Amino acid sequence: MASLKAFALNCSLKASSNEESSSTEKLVSDLFKAFEKVGVSCEVERALDHDIKPGVESDMGEGDQWPPLRQKILDADIFVLAMPIWLGQPSSVAKRVMERMDAFLEETDDRGRMPAAGKVAVVAVVGNEDGAHHVHADVGFTIPANAGAYWVGEAMGSKEYKEFKSPPEKVQQTIDMLVSNAAHLAKILKNAGYPGVDS
């Protein structure tokens, strides 16, 4: 059987050129360490490094850098949407990405399957407040059990996830469960995808 590939889109509000480190980046790194232990190859892109035009189409025309990112999402077996939360909401960058994936709803094949059918998606969230469970949308991905890994600090606290040298025990347990379930489900779907329906 072919090996599995994970692609993460880091929706931090910091571009990779920013000198300040990102807690979202650290959580993705911790997820990837766990994925690599179970034989999943990994790639990450920082959304802010690309000009993702506003809209709900797969290609918004001249200068839109979403199409290559969209293709990386669809080429992967596991998609990781990684983001910080602000005021209990996904980052504005993550919302832009989710809006662009809305196009999947209209792009079904001749058997009614959206482009993400047979792909697994998980969410990685960091922040200092509640809202970690309010950050995913259904655009055709299959969501495994325990599909969210997150760290939210103490209310009004000042510690950020990136300050941990290694994940806190409960976060690591959540990462390991997410990775185990996502890789298991992706293997099943890679070998036997959804059949769709006759038109």
Side-chain angles (χ1 to χ4, degrees):
M1 180 183 73
S3 62
L4 298 174
K5 179 179 178 182
F7 174 68
L9 201 49
N10 179 343
C11 296
S12 170
L13 296 180
K14 299 178 182 94
S16 59
S17 59
N18 192 309
E19 292 182 11
E20 186 181 349
S21 61
S22 158
S23 286
T24 308
E25 178 180 29
K26 168 113 173 47
L27 185 54
V28 169
S29 174
D30 291 337
L31 275 172
F32 278 8
K33 286 176 192 171
F35 270 129
E36 288 165 353
K37 284 181 184 175
V38 297
V40 178
S41 65
C42 302
E43 179 184 1
V44 63
E45 292 274 358
R46 189 80 63 107
L48 271 186
D49 292 346
H50 304 272
D51 186 5
I52 301 172
K53 301 289 185 194
V56 292
E57 303 293 330
S58 286
D59 190 337
M60 296 304 295
E62 185 176 348
D64 186 18
Q65 295 179 348
W66 171 251
L69 294 173
R70 175 190 180 278
Q71 193 58 53
K72 286 185 179 201
I73 291 168
L74 296 178
D75 288 344
D77 302 293
I78 302 166
F79 173 51
V80 180
L81 182 59
M83 72 194 78
I85 51 174
W86 299 102
L87 301 173
Q89 298 289 319
S91 71
S92 56
V93 178
K95 287 183 179 184
R96 171 79 49 97
V97 166
M98 288 187 278
E99 287 170 352
R100 293 305 299 272
M101 287 192 296
D102 183 75
F104 291 175
L105 297 170
E106 301 297 324
E107 298 173 353
T108 57
D109 66 12
D110 60 359
R111 298 191 62 80
R113 297 171 293 197
M114 288 183 267
K119 307 291 182 179
V120 172
V122 296
V123 178
V125 179
V126 295
N128 290 326
E129 55 192 276
D130 197 12
H133 294 283
H134 182 66
V135 295
H136 71 84
D138 181 10
V139 289
F141 288 99
T142 298
I143 310 297
N146 305 99
Y150 60 90
W151 175 83
V152 288
E154 181 181 357
M156 308 298 283
S158 60
K159 186 161 186 158
E160 294 186 46
Y161 183 77
K162 65 186 179 183
E163 296 173 30
F164 292 104
K165 290 187 178 177
S166 59
E169 181 182 358
K170 291 295 183 186
V171 174
Q172 186 64 57
Q173 288 172 358
T174 302
I175 287 171
D176 291 342
M177 182 62 76
L178 177 154
V179 165
S180 175
N181 290 351
H184 174 74
L185 184 57
K187 286 176 190 173
I188 291 169
L189 290 170
K190 193 168 187 108
N191 287 326
Y194 291 112
V197 294
D198 292 322
S199 17

